[in-house]
C-alpha cells in the first residue's frame, strides 16, 4: 500500500458499511420506519413547482387509516366498482404467483418471481393510468397485465416457454412483452427501462400525442447509472413520465441501505433533479392510486415528470433461486408496519358495506380455480421441462429483420444437428 | 473442493496474506454471493474488507480502479457477466489504460470476477460469454479456468498481478465437469483428480495453457466448460486429439498452441460465445499465420450461434457433442 503522509494527530478515517437492523434469528426492529398518520400529508395542486413540495419526498402519503377508512386530501374517492376491481386484480395477482411459484418447484419452468406484498404498486398504479399509457415495467409488475386484462394462459405460455409462447421461448419466465396492452418488453438488465421510458415519453411529446409513459424499478436499481441518466433527461426535457421506485426494502440479500436509504429517501432523489417527488405507502392501494393519478395529471398537462417512491416490503424471496431466511429475520414480513395491501383494501371495502368475508373467500376460490384452469390450458402447449418446443428456425428469426447469410448457414447447421440428434 | 470452493479458497488465502486485498460486489458480503463464492469471507475478514455494494456495475468497477490507485488490490464481483456492460466504460477506457496513459505512474491491480456462460436455463440475460469484448481491449488480461485446481491457482495469480484482470468463471461447471448432454447430470468434482485442491497458496501462471490430453491427430483449443465437452467427445469417438485448455486468453500461450498444431496439422477451436468476431476468429488467424504450411485441413470453429441465448432452445444453441463431433469428422476427412 502506498505510504501516505502519516499525521498522528489526526483520527484514522473510517469506512461506513451499512448494516440492516436485524438478521436471521434477531428480533425484528422497524423502529426506524416512521409512519405518519393517514391523511396527514397535504395534497398540492398538480401544477405545483417541485420546490414547493419537498416535504412530500420525505413524508408518506397514506389514505387508509388504522381502521381502514379513507381519510385526507389524497383520498381518490373511487367508485365501488373501481375499488372492487382493484381488490380482485390484486387477489388474482397473488393467486397467480402462488400457483406459478409451485409450477416452478414442480419443474415446469426454470424460474419464477413473486410480487407478494407489492400488488398495490402495480395494480393501483395501472388503475390510475389510461389503458394506452405506455408502461416500462421491471419484473414484479405482473399486476399491470392483470389489470389490463391480459389472458392468463398467454402469461403462463410465456412462463413455460412452450409452443404457445408468442415470444418463441426466448425470454426468461415472467419477462413478458405485450405491445397491444402498451406493456414494454421486460429486460433482465436492471434499470435499462428507465431512460427508455423517458425516451418514449419524449417521443410522445415530439409527436404531440396525449399518451404518457411510466416505468418501474426496485430501490436497489436506483444505484444504476441508467436511473440517473433517465432522471436528467426527464428533468431537462420535462418528459411526461411517471418514474416509480418500488422500495421493497431488499435487493436480493442487500437491504435498502446499500442503495443509499440511510441518508435520504428514494423520492428525494427527485429534488436534485428539480423533479416532483412523492413518497407513498405502497401497501395502501388508495394512496398508490392517488399518487399515480396526481402524477399522470401533472405529466399529461405538461407540468413535468414525477418520481414516486412506493414504500413497501418484499414478503417473499427475491426469486425461486433465493433463500431469504439466510439473510433476514423470518419475522420481518409479519411485522412489517404497513400491513398487507390486499388485507387493507379488503377491510376498507368491507367497512364501506360493499363487500364481506364470505364474498372474499368465494372470490379467492374462484380466482384459484381460474388460474388453475389457465395453467391446465397452457400445459397443453407443453412445459419447459418437456423439451424444446420451438422449431429450431425460430432461434435465428428476429435477430435482424432479414436473415443474413451467416445466420442462414447457422440455421441450416442447427437443423442438421437436430436431424442427427433425433433421426426421424 | 468444487470450483466455487476453490475460488473461495483463493480469496481466503489472498486476504490472509495481503491486507490490501478487498472483496466487493452485489450480495457478496453477509450472504456470500448468489453462487456462494464469497461465503464466510466477511465473517472472517470484516466489513471493511468484504462488503456489499450498490447495484451499480459502473460504480463497482470505477471505485475498484480508485482503490487500486490508492494501493489496494480489489477483487470486485459482477454478479453475472451479462451485467458487466454498465461497468464497461470503467473497464475499457479507464482500468485498461491507466498504466499507459500515466506512463506507469498509476495502475489498476484489480481482478473482476464474474460467472459466465450458459447451460443453466438462464435465458439471454444470465448466459452470455462476453470474453472477446475484453480480449479486444489493450491492457486487460482475460482468464478462464476449467477446473477447481486451476481456478484457485489462476485467481491467486490474477490477484497478485499488477494489471487489471477479468476472471470469468464458467458457472455450468461450478459444481462439476459436464459432457455437453443436457439430460445428463454434472459429475461431481470429487470424481476427478483436478478436484484435489491444496488449501494453501499456489500459483498457476497467467499466460500458460494446459495440455489436458495429449494426442497426435488433431489439436482442439478450448477454455472453460468447453474443455470438458471437447474432451468427452474426443474420448467417446476415439479420436487421437490433443486437447488444450487455454486458461488465459490474454496473454495467450501461443507457444503451446503453435507446437501442438505443427505436430498434429489440424486445429479445431471450440467456444460457447457467438461465432462472429469471437475469440475463435483470433485463434484461427493466429494458427493460419504461424502454422499455415503445417496444416492438413482448414482450421474449424465450433461456437454458439450468432443469436442471443434462447431460453427454451438453450440446448440447441449450446455447442454440444453433436456439433463438435461433426466438426471433428469434417476436419479429419481431408
Ligand atoms: C445490471 C444488472 N446487475 C445485476 C443484476 C442482478 N440482479 C437481478 S435482481 C437484483 C436485485 C434488484 O433489486 P431491486 O432493484 O431492489 O428490485 P427487487 O428485486 O427488490 O424488486 C440483482 C442485483 C441484474 N439483473 N442486472
Amino acid at each position: 500500500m502506498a505510504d501516505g503522509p502519516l499525521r498522528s494527530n489526526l483520527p484514522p478515517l473510517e469506512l461506513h458499511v451499512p448494516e440492516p437492523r436485524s438478521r436471521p434469528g434477531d428480533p425484528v426492529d422497524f423502529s426506524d420506519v416512521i409512519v405518519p398518520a393517514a391523511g396527514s400529508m397535504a395534497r398540492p395542486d398538480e401544477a405545483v413547482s417541485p420546490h414547493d413540495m419537498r416535504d412530500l419526498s420525505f413524508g408518506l402519503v397514506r389514505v387508509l387509516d388504522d381502521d381502514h377508512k379513507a381519510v385526507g386530501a389524497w383520498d381518490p374517492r373511487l367508485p365501488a366498482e373501481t375499488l372492487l376491481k382493484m381488490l380482485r386484480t390484486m387477489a388474482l395477482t397473488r393467486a397467480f404467483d402462488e400457483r406459478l411459484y409451485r409450477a416452478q418447484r414442480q419443474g415446469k419452468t426454470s424460474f419464477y418471481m413473486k410480487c407478494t406484498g407489492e400488488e398495490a404498486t402495480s395494480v393501483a398504479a395501472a388503475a390510475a393510468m389510461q389503458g394506452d399509457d405506455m408502461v416500462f415495467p421491471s419484473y414484479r409488475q405482473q399486476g399491470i397485465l392483470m389489470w389490463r386484462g391480459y389472458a392468463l394462459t398467454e402469461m403462463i405460455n410465456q412462463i413455460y416457454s412452450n409452443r404457445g409462447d408468442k415470444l418463441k421461448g426466448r425470454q426468461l419466465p415472467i419477462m413478458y412483452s405485450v405491445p397491444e396492452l402498451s406493456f414494454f418488453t421486460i429486460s433482465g438488465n436492471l434499470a435499462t427501462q428507465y431512460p427508455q421510458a423517458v425516451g418514449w415519453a419524449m417521443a410522445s411529446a415530439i409527436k404531440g400525442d396525449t399518451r404518457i409513459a411510466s416505468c418501474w424499478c426496485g430501490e436497489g436499481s436506483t444505484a444504476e447509472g441508467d436511473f440517473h441518466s433517465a432522471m436528467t433527461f426527464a428533468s431537462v426535457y420535462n418528459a411526461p413520465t411517471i418514474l416509480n421506485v418500488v422500495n421493497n426494502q431488499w435487493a436480493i440479500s442487500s437491504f435498502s441501505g446499500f442503495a443509499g436509504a440511510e441518508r435520504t429517501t428514494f423520492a428525494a432523489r427527485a429534488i436534485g433533479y428539480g423533479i416532483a417527488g412523492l413518497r407513498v405507502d405502497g401497501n395502501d392501494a388508495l394512496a398508490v392510486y392517488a399518487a399515480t393519478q396526481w402524477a399522470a395529471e401533472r405529466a399529461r398537462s405538461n407540468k413535468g415528470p414525477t418520481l414516486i417512491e412506493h414504500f413497501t416490503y418484499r414478503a417473499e424471496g427475491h426469486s425461486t433461486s433465493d433463500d431469504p431466511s439466510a439473510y433476514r429475520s423470518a419475522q420481518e414480513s409479519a411485522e412489517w408496519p404497513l400491513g398487507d395491501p390486499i388485507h387493507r383494501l379488503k377491510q376498507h371495502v368491507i367497512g364501506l358495506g360493499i363487500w364481506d368475508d364470505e364474498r372474499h373467500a368465494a372470490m379467492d376460490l374462484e380466482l384459484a380455480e381460474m388460474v388453475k384452469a389457465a395453467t391446465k390450458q397452457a400445459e397443453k402447449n407443453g412445459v419447459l421441462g418437456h423439451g424444446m418446443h420451438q422449431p429450431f428456425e425460430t432461434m435465428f428469426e428476429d435477430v435482424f429483420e432479414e436473415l443474413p447469410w451467416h445466420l442462414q448457414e447457422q440455421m441450416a447447421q442447427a437443423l442438421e444437428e437436430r436431424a442427427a440428434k433425433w433421426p426421424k | 473442493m468444487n470450483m466455487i470452493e476453490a475460488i473461495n479458497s483463493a480469496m481466503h488465502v489472498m486476504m490472509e496474506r495481503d491486507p490490501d486485498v478487498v472483496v466487493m460486489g452485489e450480495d457478496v458480503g453477509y450472504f456470500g454471493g448468489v453462487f456462494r463464492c464469497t461465503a464466510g469471507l466477511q465473517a472472517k475478514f470484516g466489513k471493511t474488507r468484504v462488503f456489499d455494494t450498490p447495484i451499480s456495475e459502473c460504480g463497482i468497477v470505477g471505485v475498484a480502479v480508485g482503490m487500486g490507485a490508492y494501493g489496494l488490490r480489489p477483487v470486485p464481483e459482477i454478479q453475472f457477466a451479462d451485467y458487466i456492460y454498465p461497468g464497461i466504460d470503467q473497464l475499457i477506457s479507464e482500468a485498461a489504460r491507466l498504466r499507459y496513459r500515466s506512463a506507469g505512474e498509476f495502475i489498476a491491480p484489480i481482478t473482476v470476477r464474474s460467472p459466465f456462460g450458459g447451460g443453466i436455463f438462464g435465458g439471454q440475460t444470465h448466459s452470455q460469454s462476453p470474453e472477446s469484448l475484453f480480449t479486444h481491449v489493450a491492457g486487460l488480461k482475460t482468464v478462464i479456468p476449467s477446473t477447481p485446481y486451476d481456478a484457485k491457482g489462476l485467481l491467486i495469480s490474477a490477484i497478485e498481478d499488477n494489471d487489471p484482470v477479468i476472471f470469468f468463471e464458467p458457472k455450468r461447471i461450478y459444481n462439476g465437469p459436464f459432457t455437453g448432454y443436457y439430460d445428463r447430470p454434472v459429475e461431481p468434482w470429487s470424481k476427478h483428480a483436478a478436484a484435489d485442491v491444496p488449501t494453501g497458496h499456489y500459483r498457476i501462471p497467467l499466460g500458460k495453457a494446459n495440455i489436458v490430453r495429449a494426442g497426435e491427430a488433431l489439436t482442439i483449443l478450448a477454455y472453460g466448460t468447453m474443455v470438458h465437452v471437447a474432451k468427452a467427445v474426443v474420448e467417446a469417438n476415439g479420436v487421437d486429439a490433443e486437447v488444450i485448455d487455454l486458461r488465459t486468453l490474454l496473454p495467450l500461450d501461443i507457444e503451446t498452441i503453435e507446437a501442438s498444431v505443427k505436430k498434429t496439422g489440424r486445429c479445431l477451436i471450440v467456444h460457447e460465445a457467438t461465432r462472429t468476431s469471437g475469440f475463435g476468429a483470433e485463434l484461427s488467424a493466429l494458427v493460419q499465420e504461424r502454422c499455415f504450411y503445417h496444416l492438413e485441413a482448414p482450421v474449424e470453429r465450433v461456437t454458439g450461434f450468432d443469436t442471443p441465448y434462447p431460453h427454451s432452445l438453450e440446448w440447441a444453441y449450446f455447442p454440444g457433442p453433436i456439433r463438435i463431433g461433426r466438426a471433428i469428422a469434417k476436419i479429419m476427412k481431408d
Side-chain angles (χ1 to χ4, degrees):
Chain A
M1 198 191 290
D3 284 329
L6 291 175
R7 282 166 291 200
S8 55
N9 58 336
L10 294 179
L13 298 170
E14 285 172 8
L15 186 70
H16 170 72
V17 180
E19 189 58 40
R21 294 177 86 99
S22 49
R23 284 296 192 185
D26 293 343
V28 173
D29 180 3
F30 279 127
S31 57
D32 59 327
V33 176
I34 297 159
V35 182
S40 60
M41 305 297 299
R43 185 187 184 284
D45 184 83
E46 288 88 346
V48 67
S49 154
H51 301 287
D52 298 331
M53 56 175 294
R54 290 178 175 228
D55 46 332
L56 283 153
S57 297
F58 298 102
L60 201 61
V61 171
R62 303 179 71 231
V63 172
L64 292 172
D65 69 10
D66 294 345
D67 302 321
H68 311 291
K69 289 205 173 60
V71 295
W74 285 95
D75 176 6
R77 300 173 187 280
L78 296 176
E81 188 195 344
T82 311
L83 290 170
L84 293 176
K85 186 178 170 197
M86 289 202 314
L87 180 66
R88 183 180 171 86
T89 312
M90 285 162 60
L92 173 61
T93 306
R94 191 165 293 183
F96 187 86
D97 277 0
E98 285 300 321
R99 181 127 206 130
L100 274 298
Y101 180 89
R102 267 193 287 142
Q104 191 277 341
R105 289 291 185 247
Q106 293 163 349
K108 291 175 183 168
T109 191
S110 56
F111 179 80
Y112 192 76
M113 287 177 116
K114 288 178 155 186
C115 68
T116 314
E118 302 172 35
E119 292 88 350
T121 64
S122 57
V123 173
M129 297 177 70
Q130 296 295 321
D132 59 356
D133 287 336
M134 188 72 183
V135 297
F136 289 77
S138 174
Y139 44 66
R140 282 187 222 283
Q141 282 76 47
Q142 49 270 56
I144 300 175
L145 284 177
M146 307 265 177
W147 178 266
R148 291 188 174 179
Y150 195 45
L152 300 182
T153 36
E154 291 285 354
M155 295 175 75
I156 304 167
N157 285 338
Q158 195 283 325
I159 291 165
Y160 287 169
S161 276
N162 64 17
R163 271 189 298 284
D165 173 13
K166 72 185 185 73
L167 303 183
K168 307 183 189 176
R170 290 176 183 151
Q171 274 274 56
L172 265 191
I174 63 114
M175 304 228 167
Y176 314 101
S177 176
V178 191
E180 63 273 24
L181 295 179
S182 300
F183 188 98
F184 193 69
T185 164
I186 297 175
S187 172
N189 298 51
L190 295 171
T192 51
Q193 70 279 13
Y194 245 66
Q196 295 162 1
V198 173
W200 195 97
M202 287 168 65
S204 189
I206 288 169
K207 288 295 206 180
D209 199 339
T210 58
R211 291 173 296 165
I212 61 171
S214 187
C215 54
W216 281 258
C217 76
E219 85 291 345
S221 303
T222 61
E224 292 284 11
D226 282 8
F227 174 84
H228 301 277
S229 307
M231 294 291 282
T232 303
F233 276 71
S235 164
V236 168
Y237 298 103
N238 210 39
T241 339
I242 307 174
L243 306 132
N244 296 282
V245 173
V246 181
N247 178 1
N248 65 7
Q249 312 303 322
W250 290 93
I252 313 190
S253 75
S254 307
F255 84 114
S256 56
F258 283 102
E262 291 178 332
R263 311 289 175 195
T264 187
T265 67
F266 293 97
R269 303 293 194 268
I271 292 174
Y273 294 97
I275 287 177
L278 288 175
R279 192 161 176 267
V280 307
D281 175 348
N283 288 15
D284 176 345
L286 296 188
V288 171
Y289 187 102
T292 309
Q293 189 181 40
W294 187 93
E297 172 58 28
R298 184 175 171 84
R300 228 181 286 285
S301 54
N302 291 309
K303 298 297 186 300
T306 304
L307 176 70
I308 303 178
E309 172 185 350
H310 302 267
F311 195 70
T312 179
Y313 187 80
R314 192 191 80 210
E316 294 277 351
H318 170 75
S319 74
T320 41
S321 314
D322 180 37
D323 172 16
S325 71
Y327 54 80
R328 70 182 187 193
S329 172
Q331 272 69 53
E332 271 194 17
S333 108
E335 295 187 25
W336 176 245
L338 297 175
D340 176 85
I342 297 182
H343 176 78
R344 286 173 67 189
L345 185 56
K346 171 187 164 192
Q347 294 310 116
H348 173 65
V349 287
I350 289 176
L352 290 178
I354 57 173
W355 196 241
D356 53 53
D357 282 314
E358 292 70 39
R359 270 187 275 180
H360 196 88
M363 178 182 79
D364 275 344
L365 273 181
E366 181 209 336
L367 294 176
E369 280 307 315
M370 212 169 106
V371 176
K372 190 170 159 191
T375 314
K376 289 268 168 303
Q377 186 66 27
E379 279 176 18
K380 288 191 190 141
N381 296 320
V383 297
L384 181 68
H386 294 174
M388 303 182 225
H389 301 286
Q390 278 71 31
F392 280 20
E393 289 90 329
T394 60
M395 191 169 19
F396 303 92
E397 293 164 359
D398 310 313
V399 180
F400 299 106
E401 191 170 7
E402 280 168 29
L403 209 64
W405 67 268
H406 68 292
L407 287 180
Q408 282 175 22
E409 276 186 18
Q410 292 176 19
M411 184 198 279
Q413 183 187 347
L415 293 174
E416 265 172 37
E417 287 174 8
R418 178 177 203 147
K421 245 182 249 182
W422 294 286
K424 249 218 238 187
Chain B
M1 283 189 210
N2 63 24
M3 194 182 286
I4 292 170
E5 292 158 344
I7 286 163
N8 183 280
S9 172
M11 286 186 274
H12 203 108
V13 166
M14 285 310 296
M15 293 197 78
E16 240 163 16
R17 284 167 69 102
D18 183 351
D20 291 341
V21 175
V22 295
V23 166
M24 57 197 272
E26 293 157 20
D27 299 295
V28 304
Y30 185 88
F31 191 51
V34 292
F35 288 103
R36 321 298 299 142
C37 288
T38 56
L41 294 179
Q42 186 176 69
K44 173 115 193 242
F45 298 103
K47 281 197 305 179
T48 52
R49 291 188 63 202
V50 184
F51 49 87
D52 288 331
T53 60
I55 304 173
S56 171
E57 291 74 14
C58 132
I60 293 169
V61 181
V63 161
V65 170
M67 289 177 171
Y70 178 87
L72 297 185
R73 291 192 175 274
V75 187
E77 175 180 297
I78 301 293
Q79 201 157 74
F80 284 87
D82 312 64
Y83 304 138
I84 215 160
Y85 306 113
I88 218 157
D89 185 46
Q90 283 290 340
L91 275 171
I92 290 184
S93 315
E94 305 302 318
R97 295 192 207 152
L98 211 55
R99 178 189 295 282
Y100 196 76
R101 77 178 192 219
S102 68
E105 288 176 342
F106 285 104
I107 59 167
I110 69 177
T111 302
V112 180
R113 294 181 36 247
S114 190
F116 91 123
I120 60 156
F121 277 112
Q124 50 193 303
T125 55
H126 298 80
S127 307
Q128 291 164 72
S129 302
E131 63 274 13
S132 69
L133 290 177
F134 299 100
T135 58
H136 192 58
V137 176
L140 294 177
K141 293 182 175 168
T142 302
V143 180
I144 300 176
S146 75
T147 67
Y149 179 83
D150 281 9
K152 180 168 173 185
L154 288 166
L155 182 53
I156 287 176
S157 295
I159 296 172
E160 291 178 349
D161 199 283
N162 283 332
D163 288 317
V165 178
I166 316 289
F167 193 88
F168 282 129
E169 300 163 5
K171 58 176 127 43
R172 175 70 212 183
I173 52 169
Y174 263 160
N175 294 304
F178 138 95
T179 60
Y181 288 99
Y182 68 93
D183 47 357
R184 289 176 212 170
V186 170
E187 271 190 62
W189 282 110
S190 56
K191 286 184 137 188
H192 296 259
D196 297 328
V197 180
T199 51
H201 178 278
Y202 66 91
R203 299 186 187 99
I204 293 184
L206 305 187
K208 208 68 209 105
N210 183 28
I211 301 176
V212 295
R213 185 187 186 281
E216 299 294 329
L218 161 72
T219 299
I220 300 184
L221 305 178
Y223 50 89
T225 306
M226 298 322 291
V227 172
H228 300 274
V229 181
K231 212 165 103 204
V233 177
V234 164
E235 275 154 18
N237 295 355
V239 188
D240 185 21
E242 183 144 298
V243 180
I244 298 180
D245 173 3
L246 299 177
R247 294 204 287 212
T248 314
L249 305 192
L250 204 138
L252 184 69
D253 183 355
I254 191 67
E255 276 173 32
T256 301
I257 296 172
E258 200 175 325
S260 175
V261 176
K262 282 184 173 162
K263 178 178 71 173
T264 63
R266 291 180 164 85
C267 180
L268 172 67
I269 297 154
V270 188
H271 66 57
E272 229 186 295
T274 47
R275 182 180 188 85
T276 304
S277 303
F279 194 65
E282 177 61 30
L283 289 171
S284 171
L286 282 169
V287 169
Q288 314 263 10
E289 280 164 12
R290 290 165 182 259
C291 310
F292 185 74
Y293 295 107
H294 296 80
L295 287 175
E296 310 278 348
V299 178
E300 281 283 319
R301 284 181 286 164
V302 169
T303 67
F305 295 127
D306 285 329
T307 77
Y309 229 102
H311 180 241
S312 74
L313 291 180
E314 181 174 278
W315 292 108
Y317 178 92
F318 196 84
I322 295 215
R323 200 171 309 158
I324 296 174
R326 288 158 78 86
I328 292 177
K330 183 173 169 209
I331 219 173
M332 295 308 296
K333 217 170 57 214
D334 294 300

